[in-house]
Amino acid sequence: MCGIVCYIGEKSAKQILIEGLKQLEYRGYDSAGIAVHNGDRIEYCKAVGKITELEAKLNGRKMEGHTGIGHTRWATHGEPTEINAHPHMDQEKKLFVIHNGIIENYYNLKKKLEKDGVVFVSDTDTEVLAHMIARYFDGDLNKAVRTVMSEVEGTFGIAVIHQDAPGEIVIARRGSPLVIGVSDNGYFAASDVSAMVRYTKKVVHLKDNELATLTRDGFAISTAQAKRVERDTETVEWSAGDTDLNGFPHFMLKEIFEQPSTIENAIRGRLEPGEGVPKLGGIMPVWEKLKSCRHIVIVACGTSYYAGYVGRYCFEKLTEVDVEIELASEFRYRKFNFPPNTFIIALSQSGETADTLAAIKEARRKGASLLGIVNVVGSSIARETDAGVYNHAGPEIGVASTKIFTSQLTILTLIALLIGRHQTLPLTEGTEAIREIMALPDRVQRILAQANHIQAVAEKYHKYPNWLFIGRKFNYPIAMEGALKLKEVSYIHAEGYAAGEMKHGPIALINPDMPTVAIAPKDDMYDKMVNNIQEIKSRKGPVIAIITEGDERLKKIADDVIEVPPSLDFLYPVLTVIPCQLLAYYCADFLKRDIDKPRNLAKSVTVE
Ligand code: G6P
């Protein structure tokens, strides 16, 4: 969603801001803008559409200055127009603010300001911040921001500059991430480290209800009550190359092809083959409680939710734990009766998804212990949970999640195996599981080697407007994830169904114009899946079957097949999802979609 990047230092700010905004493009946005303080006054520029539009408008404009703020906006309050784009400013055009999040009481604040004669020019909630901070400003920008923090409700990550406070940027957060970057030639602030990883890997995370003043010589963090905070810098693992395409036409394809190594990263140093037990240092702080736990609720959104869904089957297979899976956005509206020693597992690539964050806060209130499986180190969900496991998968730039999904599946399996081995799972099953987990990267590689074949299947079917995905048990969530992937990037309508539900509705849709992707590896659901496929074929529905290598029976029945190597039933999803990802990618490519930034979608959904 919206992105923030700020710079103050020896270098000229304009180009650094533009480069930073380009690194944030993947988050999803519909307009952008920057403001630069040139020592005397502040110049700004905004544009609707891509950063290239902003660059075109800036072409020929010098906009010199060493202090600046930049923003990509994903419209919530007000359409994506230039007026609604950030930065927003006060009436005198002296104060400029950029904002991620939503000011929930903006309507009342706006009415109050209007009564005092303030004229609003945009439809945004952010504009109230500009007018309010400007009104409180008496030479101390940090104090003015602090005062406004106590009056606004909602979520925000903001950055503010003022004409009469040259040489400083004030940033503040509540519920919306902000990271300070420390480099040899200046200081950065951004909503996401990828905006500054080109310039520095040394970062300091701001916590909720904290603010900071950045100058050319340093930064000072304080709480909203003006209490000074000392915090050491951390070094991020990501490098500038991680955010490059490296010869791939799209990040989505690059990330699909990274999966052998991201799965490897998820298991590196975490397996003890002889003992049949994984080692997960990150969950040791809660291990005594976790090993005897009998109830887990997995919460997540989007693709992470479907990973959690597979995780449920996995826990049921390997442990004695009862597992529920709940959409984070629904979690708060349920009435859970948590038995004692319930664990919540929150899955999130970004670690910033607003609903997932809200769900774990609610679960904490109800007394549950919290585990996180998160990719972004130091993110809000990583901080809010009691313990957890990082994906170590590098930045995921494509809006449609791919490599994180298989990484999440791998880590969920490790956690289930660890608990299972301390409950009733025998050694032989533990060692077999570990052997098979270690084989996953090579097996994924074997599927990727069939990319040309999968591309040919996509070429044959990409013009069909409606698709069905079906699977059972471990592969039921893969059917849902396969359908999600296809609709996200190709805009083809697709539904993911439990194959056992076919007769309760979806079979009515089957005809020669409705292809079905049937996920039917050789597990204990195989025979039932073959029956479903036969039923579809009897109604002349085209079938693309994802099968285990050498399955001659389904090769004869299905119109097209994509083979995956043999595996254990609970590990098949790591393999069967790869053809679904590639099918979605190639269909979108044939349809010339904006694959890495599909319309209306955002990488990180930081508002409810
Ligand atoms: C957005 C993204 C999805 C992602 C979901 C959950 O919708 O477009 O790709 O799966 O958020 O994000 P999270 O960061 O919590 O995994």
Side-chain angles (χ1 to χ4, degrees), residues 65-97:
H66 302 268
T67 304
I69 58 178
H71 190 263
T72 47
R73 172 175 188 254
W74 190 87
T76 55
H77 292 70
E79 287 179 17
T81 60
E82 198 172 309
I83 277 286
N84 287 335
H86 299 212
H88 287 280
M89 59 214 88
D90 68 326
Q91 286 177 298
E92 289 183 81
K93 294 198 168 71
K94 282 185 162 185
L95 178 133
F96 289 73
V97 59

Side-chain angles (χ1 to χ4, degrees), residues 330-406:
E330 286 294 316
F331 183 88
R332 276 169 298 168
Y333 312 118
R334 297 274 317 275
K335 184 167 180 269
F336 282 100
N337 287 316
F338 292 149
N341 199 17
T342 292
F343 267 81
I344 302 293
I345 301 183
L347 292 173
S348 177
Q349 186 286 127
S350 61
E352 301 294 349
T353 302
D355 284 320
T356 311
L357 200 49
I360 60 173
K361 287 183 178 166
E362 182 62 22
R364 156 98 63 219
R365 233 169 264 136
K366 303 253 167 23
S369 304
L370 309 178
L371 275 187
I373 300 178
V374 173
N375 190 39
V376 179
V377 176
S379 56
S380 302
I381 293 172
R383 283 161 188 277
E384 288 284 338
T385 40
D386 302 314
V389 184
Y390 280 120
N391 295 95
H392 297 307
E396 190 179 62
I397 308 285
V399 164
S401 183
T402 52
K403 66 176 179 175
I404 297 303
F405 182 77
T406 47

Side-chain angles (χ1 to χ4, degrees), residues 309 313 470-481 496-499:
Y309 221 122
Y313 287 102
I470 55 168
R472 282 174 187 257
K473 202 173 169 181
F474 291 104
N475 287 294
Y476 162 41
I478 300 304
M480 294 192 281
E481 169 60 9
Y497 255 95

Side-chain angles (χ1 to χ4, degrees), residues 119-131:
V119 179
F120 278 75
V121 294
S122 78
D123 308 315
T124 67
D125 52 333
T126 303
E127 198 183 338
V128 298
L129 294 175
H131 298 302

Side-chain angles (χ1 to χ4, degrees), residues 209 345 424 530 538:
N209 294 311
I345 301 183
T424 54
V530 174
S538 328

Side-chain angles (χ1 to χ4, degrees), residues 263-264 267 270-278 318 410 413-414 417 421 425-444 446 565-571 575:
I263 295 169
E264 192 73 59
I267 59 182
R270 290 173 170 167
L271 295 179
E272 291 216 29
E275 298 291 313
V277 186
L318 300 174
T410 309
T413 310
L414 298 188
L417 190 56
R421 286 284 293 120
L425 195 74
L427 171 66
T428 46
E429 288 184 35
T431 48
E432 185 190 26
I434 287 195
R435 217 177 29 244
E436 292 287 307
I437 292 169
M438 286 166 76
L440 286 173
D442 280 347
R443 290 179 182 161
V444 169
R446 252 153 76 184
S567 185
L568 296 178
D569 56 359
F570 58 93
L571 296 176
L575 306 180

